[in-house]
Structures are given as structure tokens and as C-alpha cells.
Amino acid sequence: MEKFAMFVQKLRYAILTVVLVLTLFFGYFIKDLKVNADVLGYLPKDDVAANLFNDIGKDYGGNETVIIGLECKDVFTAPMLNKVKEMTDSVRAVKGIGYVTSLTNIIDIKTTEYGLEIGRLVDEYEIPEEKEALEALRAYALSKDMYRDNLVSEDSKATLIVAKILNGSEREEVVKAIREKLSSVPFEGKVYYGGMPVTLGELSKVIVHDVMMVAPIAFLLISLCLFLGFRNARGVILPMLSVLIAIVWTMGLIGLLGYSITLMTNVIPVVLIAVGSAYAIHVVNRINEEIKTDPDKAIIRAMTYVTIPVILASLTTIFGFLSFIAGSYLTMIQEFGIFAAIGIFFSLLLAVSFVPAVISVFRIDSKKVQEKQKGNKLLDRFTSLIENFVFKSQRSILLAWALIIALCVYGITQIERRVDLVDYFKKDNIVQQSEGLLRSKFNGSMPLYMHVKGDIQSPEVLNAMKAAQDFMESYEFIPYSQSVADLVAQMNEAMGEEKAIPDSKEKVQQLWLMIEGQEIMEQLVNYDLDEAVIMGQVNSSDLEVLNEIEASFSKYVKENSTDNCRMEFTGIPLMLKRLDNSIVKSQFYSLILAIILVVLLVSALQKSIVKGLLAIIPVLVTLVALFGFMGLTGVPLDIATVLSGSVTIGIGIDYAIHFISCFGDEYQRSQDIRESIRSAIKISGRAILINVVSVTAGFAVLMFSDLVPLQRFGSLLAVTMLMS
């Protein structure tokens, strides 16, 4: 490494020039960065159920539906029904809206003295005003499954307006226009906004907030930690400047390659600020130490020693991030792992080239550095306390950790998993509030689809669809389902027959003519009448429910599909179940892969399998403590916290690597184990303490994120960094 150090010092001006050019190059492409909060867009392309879900959403509008909830004292009053009509008309007037459904325009099939009548539940031009008529409307609406708990709550205190956004329209702009329109409509009750477009829009806002607010806070907090640790400007400026450049390179590369900022990649700046600064911290610290003995050769001596440990530490972190590729269901998690690893590589490159080049160009006054370090007694006292405690309380330390591990092993058995998208938001967020309304007063908001292919006007296919609906509604967690078979059976009953599918295609076609062209048909059957969907609503995201849906519906589809009626099923519950499976799978594979790679890497570079195994021991203990802490405190395993294990391996082992490397170097000089440990604690311990505090502070800042999983992720890593 001495030759490399001399090479860096010799080409210091060239290195600074190259860094400047690359920073300008990558910085140019930051303008091309776009936010993409569409979690569903990151479903794997080779997943049949995911592709079917996206196709159904596109063809039938399920994923493009905005749900407006209105909460009031009583829906069935003339003023309230007029307000529903006014709001329905306002939403319909928004550019990009296909159809709007509410109590004032929903289809109604009934028998009158004149025979079958297909009209509207409420005549929007003659809304009833008399109490008797309103009470009759209430009784009628609440008697029909099509309306009760779907458009109006059973207690008559809430109603929904459902709007479909046209394909190709800008979802965020349409949702914004709807909210602006309705904000101008006077309403004494409470308005809620839900549906996938609203959820994704809120995610976009959260991502922008985190990028604009959380990363700068992390930058300032870590800068403060570095100043308190080094007590000089270079100790702050060089690590933070190198990490800022790494962020510019990484985010510019994301823009250059055409990728978007997702709810995972938006964390990369914070990760690089917290983790990437560590490598420059160790470089600056070692140079400061070498200045005390030989100011003229400080940079070469420091880089000769510190380059290998820094490279080793960064590679283990890179492997930790790359392990996310294994078993991840959502491609955005894989993207996060890849670009975070690239960012760490950039941080390494800058730490071992740019930082010493800057120090070499701007010569350090060794006396000032030593005076500053002498003035910083706090770290020296703390490292001395650690040194004395380690030598005097070895048994107590081992006993304490044994008790902690035992407690954490129990905690691991208490870990729960969560995959509900709504859980990503804080309690006061509009998505959480809307979901609360939909689950408490309506049939829920998680669609489950049964996709049917065949001659949809065939009695055989319609009966198969009706049987599938009955199967759906046999489960308590699916309170309601709807299909075109429903409408045909209702019309048949209204014609004086039983509520069933007619026995001939001709009769079906006669009934079909009466509902053809109705807006509701666009949601249930395609134009060619050879495909249709059965839509169910699931009111629970419990893992037991998701497991039951996957198992029972897979079996039903397999047993009931025929050549004339082919069935498939998909929906949000199945996507959540796949995500849960991937969380467990990803956690297992990524941890095993990261541990193996780290042990092999450390063993190869240190030329000792023993050192490789020794380096991983504190990390394994930290992992047990991490997952035990999750179980004991109720922090669930979710889309973000699943990453904490591999990150802990990648980052946590850095401390062990630096300590073992320093100990080995000191032992070669003194051949005294006790003295070598003291020296390692004093020299490497100083940088490790600064590093621990800065990394902990950096990840703790994620607790200011508006995304709940990232708050958990930040708090977990802050705790585990201290344990490491």
C-alpha cells in the first residue's frame, strides 16, 4: 500500500481535477431525477399474478380508482344528498376522470308495477325532500348488498364517491384537481381521500419531504459530531465533502441510467452521509496520528496502514447491500441495494484518493493538529475508561452480554411481520384516516379479483362466476363481491323468475341489452365479452388471512377451471402475501450470503480464517440483539426493517476490522497482547467512537421521516450501531 500512497501523493492535482470533472458530469444528470412512488410498478415482471393484477387495474380501473369518503350526521337528508350530487358533478368535471359513482347516480335494478326497471337509486334531478320518502330510500338502500357498506355505511353516517382516472392521465394532477374542486364546496362534515392514486401521491410527497429535509438534518448532525470529535475544520470538511461528492455521483448515476427515486432509494443520501463518511474519518484520524511522529511522511505512513482496513470495511458494507438482491420481491429493494453499494464504492474511492490528495495539496500544520487533539480530552478520557473497564471487568462484561443474548433470543420468537401499505404512513396522514373509515364503516379497500376467460354470456360461465362469488363470500374477511353474473341474476329475479342465471344464452342476451352501456359494466366485463372479473373486498391484512387466501383460492381456481371457463385470481392480498414471503426469504438469504461473503473476504485479506471468524463474532451478537430488540419492543419485520440485518453486518463489522487491524499492527511492534489492546483502543478506538456516534446520529435522523418503516429502520440501526 506504500506504493499506492506515493502514487496518490504524486498525482494529487490530477486526482482533484478528475474528481471535479466527474462531479460536474454526474451533477448534470441530477436534473433528470424523478420520483416514482408507484410500489405496484416495482412488482416483478415475471410474476404471473403481479402482471395479471396490473392488467386488471389497467383494463377495469381497479388501480386507478379515487375514493372520496364523506362523513356526516345523516346521509339520508335532502341537504346531504344534494351535497353528494354537487360533489359528484364536481369530480366528474375534472379532466382525466372516466366515470364517477355515488348514491346519486348508481344503477338500480328493481321490479315495479310496470315490470323490470333499470334506473338510478336516486333521481339526481328530483332528490326526495320529504321525511317519509327519505326514510323509504334509507330502508331500501340498506336492504341491498350492492349499496350497504359499499356506498353507504350501515349507520347512515358515511358515504362514498368513487371515481376512475382514465388511462394515460397524470394521477397526481387528477387527484390534486379533485381535492381543489371539492375544497371549494362548503361541507360541514369530514372529507376523506383514499384509493391507490391517493396513496401513491402521498408517498411521492413523503419521498420529496425526506430528500429535502431528512438528508440535510443528517448532514448537519454528523458535521457537529465530527467537529466535537476532531476539534478542527479539516476533520469536518474532508469527510463531509467526500460524502457529498459521493452522493452527487450516485444520484447523478441514477438519473443518467433513467432510474427513479423510490421510497427506498430516497434513503441513499442519508445512508451515504452516515456510512460513507466513516472511511474518510478513519483516513483523517490516522493521518492526524502519524503527524505526531513524522509530519513529513504522515500521509504516506497513514495511507500505508489505513488503506487495507478501509477497503476491507467498505467491501463488507458493499456485500451487505448487494445481498438485498437475493430474495427481494420488489425490484425497488434490489435497486436500493445496487445503488447503495455503488455509493459506498464511490465513498471508498474518494476516501483513499481525494481526501489524502486534498491534505497533500493543503499542507497541515502539525503543531495545530496536535494542539487541537490535546485540547479534546473527552475522547481520550472515554477511551481510557473503556480500556480500564475491559481489563478489570472481563467476566462481568461476558456475563452481561450472556444475559442480553438470552433475553434477545426470547425476543426473536416474538417478532411479527407487517406488509400493509397503509402501515407506511403516520396516524395523522390522510391515507391512514381514510383507511380507518373504509375498514370501520365499509367493506374495506383491498381488492381481490377472480379473472374469468370464456363466453361471458354463456350460462355455464355465468354460473361458474356465481359459484366463485359464493365461494368468496363464504369467508368472513370478504364481506362483499360483485360481478356481471350478479346483475344478470338480479334482472332475472326482477323479471319474475328466481334469482339465478337463466338457462339459455338467448335469455341472458335479452337481459344483457338492458344493462349494456351502463358505467358499471366497464368495471366488470371487457368490450369483446370474452373476459370478466369478479371483484371482492378484503377487510383484513392479517397474515393468517393472507395465507388462507393464497392457499384456498389457488386450490379453488385449480379445481374449477375448465376449457370453457378459465379462472385466475390476484389482488392486493396476494401481492402482500408474496411480499411477506419475500421478506422472510430475503432476510434469510441476505443474512447468510452477507455472513459468508464477509467471513471469506476478511479471511482472504487478513490471510487468516481465524481473523475472519473473530471479526464476525461481534456482528453475530449484534444481529441477535437487533432481532431480539425488535421482538421485545414490537418493531415489526417490514419492507424497510428487513434491510437492517444485512446493513448491520456490512457496517457493524467495520469496527471489528479496524480494531483487529490496529491490534495486529501494534502486536507486530510490541509482541505484547495487553499493550497492543491498549494501543488499539487508544488509536483505532478514537476513530471508531467518532464513527459510531456519527453513524448512529445519521441513522437516528431517519426517525424524522414521514414514512413509518423508515422511522423503524433508522431507530433500529441507531441502536445496533451502538451495540456494534
Side-chain angles (χ1 to χ4, degrees):
M1 285 296 112
E2 185 176 352
K3 289 182 179 179
F4 175 76
M6 294 175 67
F7 174 80
V8 169
Q9 192 164 23
K10 182 179 179 181
L11 298 178
R12 55 189 180 275
Y13 290 104
I15 289 171
L16 296 183
T17 303
V18 170
V19 169
L20 176 61
V21 171
L22 287 176
T23 303
L24 292 174
F25 173 76
F26 285 117
Y28 174 78
F29 291 100
I30 289 179
K31 66 178 178 58
D32 297 327
L33 285 174
K34 295 179 181 178
V35 174
N36 183 1
D38 188 358
V39 178
L40 301 180
Y42 291 96
L43 294 171
K45 304 302 180 186
D46 58 349
D47 189 313
V48 175
N51 290 331
L52 178 61
F53 179 75
N54 285 326
D55 289 342
I56 289 175
K58 189 183 299 180
D59 296 338
Y60 300 94
N63 301 342
E64 304 295 335
T65 300
V66 179
I67 301 172
I68 300 127
L70 305 176
E71 201 169 27
C72 59
K73 293 180 180 179
D74 186 3
V75 171
F76 294 101
T77 63
M80 185 59 199
L81 290 174
N82 276 296
K83 190 64 65 178
V84 172
K85 177 187 179 301
E86 182 182 358
M87 289 186 169
T88 301
D89 292 340
S90 295
V91 174
R92 188 187 285 120
V94 172
K95 184 180 179 181
I97 290 294
Y99 62 76
V100 183
T101 303
S102 71
L103 282 176
T104 58
N105 70 352
I106 184 71
I107 188 175
D108 183 40
I109 301 171
K110 60 185 176 183
T111 305
T112 67
E113 56 183 310
Y114 304 106
L116 175 65
E117 181 180 305
I118 299 177
R120 304 294 180 195
L121 174 65
V122 177
D123 186 343
E124 59 182 333
Y125 300 106
E126 293 185 16
I127 291 176
E129 295 185 359
E130 296 182 1
K131 185 176 180 180
E132 293 78 7
L134 290 167
E135 288 302 318
L137 175 62
R138 183 200 308 272
Y140 179 75
L142 295 180
S143 70
K144 302 194 74 171
D145 292 341
M146 188 174 181
Y147 312 129
R148 187 186 65 251
D149 294 336
N150 281 303
L151 278 180
V152 61
S153 61
E154 195 163 7
D155 62 4
S156 302
K157 292 184 177 181
T159 185
L160 300 180
I161 299 173
V162 181
K164 181 196 173 185
I165 298 177
L166 291 171
N167 291 334
S169 300
E170 289 291 334
R171 278 184 300 207
E172 287 190 38
E173 293 300 318
V174 174
V175 171
K176 182 180 178 182
I178 290 174
R179 296 180 71 165
E180 287 177 353
K181 278 269 188 182
L182 295 188
S183 65
S184 64
V185 178
F187 180 57
E188 294 181 358
K190 192 169 183 180
V191 181
Y192 299 84
Y193 295 92
M196 192 58 69
V198 174
T199 301
L200 298 182
E202 288 298 309
L203 274 177
S204 291
K205 291 179 184 177
V206 167
I207 290 171
V208 172
H209 167 270
D210 285 0
V211 170
M212 300 300 293
M213 296 295 294
V214 177
I217 293 173
F219 182 86
L220 293 174
L221 196 56
I222 292 178
S223 296
L224 177 62
C225 293
L226 294 181
F227 178 75
L228 294 175
F230 286 111
R231 295 295 180 93
N232 62 67
R234 281 190 178 87
V236 178
I237 293 172
L238 288 177
M240 299 315 292
L241 179 59
S242 66
V243 84
L244 272 180
I245 294 171
I247 291 172
V248 171
W249 289 8
T250 306
M251 302 310 286
L253 182 63
I254 293 174
L256 172 64
L257 297 178
Y259 287 88
S260 301
I261 299 177
T262 68
L263 66 88
M264 295 308 304
T265 53
N266 83 305
V267 186
I268 287 178
V270 174
V271 170
L272 293 182
I273 290 171
V275 181
S277 60
Y279 313 126
I281 288 172
H282 284 281
V283 169
V284 172
N285 181 71
R286 191 66 192 191
I287 291 174
N288 287 346
E289 288 293 329
E290 293 297 336
I291 283 175
K292 298 176 184 178
T293 56
D294 191 350
D296 295 330
K297 296 182 179 179
I299 294 176
I300 293 176
R301 285 173 58 85
M303 294 308 298
T304 300
Y305 163 78
V306 83
T307 301
I308 288 294
V310 167
I311 290 175
L312 191 57
S314 64
L315 287 178
T316 56
T317 305
I318 288 171
F319 284 156
F321 283 116
L322 289 178
S323 67
F324 297 149
I325 299 173
S328 295
Y329 183 59
L330 297 177
T331 56
M332 68 177 177
I333 295 179
Q334 298 173 355
E335 289 176 12
F336 167 74
I338 292 169
F339 285 112
I342 291 172
I344 295 298
F345 175 73
F346 287 156
S347 298
L348 162 67
L349 205 59
L350 290 162
V352 298
S353 61
F354 174 73
V355 170
V358 171
I359 294 175
S360 182
V361 170
F362 302 97
R363 292 289 181 180
I364 297 177
D365 187 333
S366 60
K367 291 183 179 180
K368 287 185 178 180
V369 171
Q370 292 183 55
E371 287 174 5
K372 291 284 185 181
Q373 289 192 329
K374 286 179 181 178
N376 187 6
K377 300 293 185 181
L378 182 61
L379 279 179
D380 293 335
R381 289 174 185 171
F382 196 69
T383 52
S384 296
L385 285 173
I386 292 175
E387 176 189 328
N388 293 330
F389 183 66
V390 167
F391 284 116
K392 292 180 180 179
S393 309
Q394 296 172 19
R395 291 184 179 179
S396 299
I397 292 172
L398 292 175
L399 179 61
W401 273 107
L403 292 174
I404 291 172
I405 291 171
L407 180 63
C408 289
V409 167
Y410 166 75
I412 290 173
T413 64
Q414 305 301 307
I415 291 178
E416 61 180 36
R417 306 191 302 274
R418 284 187 207 162
V419 289
D420 193 350
L421 192 63
V422 177
D423 188 48
Y424 293 1
F425 298 95
K426 294 180 179 178
K427 296 295 182 183
D428 59 350
N429 187 275
I430 189 172
V431 174
Q432 276 274 16
Q433 294 175 353
S434 298
E435 189 63 22
L437 176 75
L438 292 172
R439 291 186 181 181
S440 63
K441 292 185 176 292
F442 296 92
N443 286 326
S445 64
M446 285 202 300
L448 181 68
Y449 302 115
M450 191 84 81
H451 184 246
V452 179
K453 286 185 177 181
D455 181 357
I456 304 303
Q457 291 186 333
S458 162
E460 177 189 354
V461 173
L462 289 171
N463 276 309
M465 292 176 68
K466 195 71 179 71
Q469 270 190 266
D470 294 339
F471 172 74
M472 270 189 177
E473 294 182 15
S474 66
Y475 293 95
E476 290 183 1
F477 47 78
I478 306 178
Y480 177 75
S481 66
Q482 186 179 43
S483 76
V484 71
D486 247 351
L487 299 180
V488 171
Q490 286 181 43
M491 288 190 296
N492 196 50
E493 181 184 31
M495 291 293 288
E497 304 288 338
E498 60 180 331
K499 189 177 181 180
I501 304 299
D503 55 8
S504 71
K505 184 174 180 178
E506 289 73 19
K507 289 183 179 180
V508 171
Q509 289 174 330
Q510 289 174 6
L511 295 174
W512 201 281
L513 288 172
M514 300 179 186
I515 55 172
E516 199 165 28
Q518 297 285 345
E519 285 182 347
I520 195 171
M521 296 296 283
E522 296 178 26
Q523 307 168 46
L524 302 175
V525 64
N526 73 344
Y527 180 78
D528 295 325
L529 305 182
D530 57 2
E531 292 184 22
V533 290
I534 304 166
M535 297 190 298
Q537 292 290 346
V538 179
N539 60 15
S540 173
S541 59
D542 291 344
L543 286 177
E544 290 183 5
V545 170
L546 301 182
N547 288 333
E548 178 66 23
I549 288 173
E550 183 180 46
S552 59
F553 277 75
S554 295
K555 182 180 179 182
Y556 184 88
V557 165
K558 185 177 180 180
E559 292 178 351
N560 291 275
S561 286
T562 64
D563 292 338
N564 295 329
C565 182
R566 298 181 300 281
M567 293 184 178
E568 298 174 283
F569 87 99
T570 187
I572 292 291
L574 184 59
M575 300 301 102
L576 294 181
K577 182 63 180 73
R578 298 282 173 88
L579 181 58
D580 176 65
N581 290 343
S582 81
I583 284 176
V584 176
K585 182 181 176 183
S586 177
Q587 186 71 92
F588 177 77
Y589 285 120
S590 63
L591 287 180
I592 295 297
L593 181 61
I595 289 170
I596 292 173
L597 289 174
V598 165
V599 170
L600 291 176
L601 181 64
V602 175
S603 300
L605 291 178
Q606 294 288 345
K607 298 179 181 179
S608 169
I609 188 67
V610 174
K611 288 185 178 180
L613 294 173
L614 283 175
I616 205 69
I617 288 174
V619 179
L620 292 177
V621 172
T622 304
L623 282 177
V624 173
L626 163 68
F627 292 116
F629 178 80
M630 289 177 66
L632 293 171
T633 58
V635 175
L637 201 61
D638 59 30
I639 190 174
T641 56
V642 70
L643 309 177
S644 57
S646 296
V647 174
T648 297
I649 293 173
I651 301 172
I653 201 170
D654 292 3
Y655 311 138
I657 288 171
H658 285 289
F659 187 84
I660 291 172
S661 297
C662 188
F663 169 79
D665 186 59
E666 294 299 321
Y667 183 72
Q668 283 184 349
R669 295 178 187 175
S670 66
Q671 296 297 309
D672 186 323
I673 293 178
R674 201 177 186 88
E675 184 60 34
S676 298
I677 292 175
R678 281 199 176 96
S679 297
I681 291 175
K682 184 178 180 181
I683 298 172
S684 185
R686 181 188 185 90
I688 289 173
L689 284 174
I690 296 172
N691 193 3
V692 166
V693 173
S694 62
V695 171
T696 302
F699 281 120
V701 168
L702 285 175
M703 288 188 282
F704 293 103
S705 170
D706 281 343
L707 280 174
V708 174
L710 291 185
Q711 292 177 348
R712 297 172 184 148
F713 179 62
S715 61
L716 281 178
L717 285 180
V719 171
T720 53
M721 287 304 101
L722 291 174
M723 290 181 179
S724 294

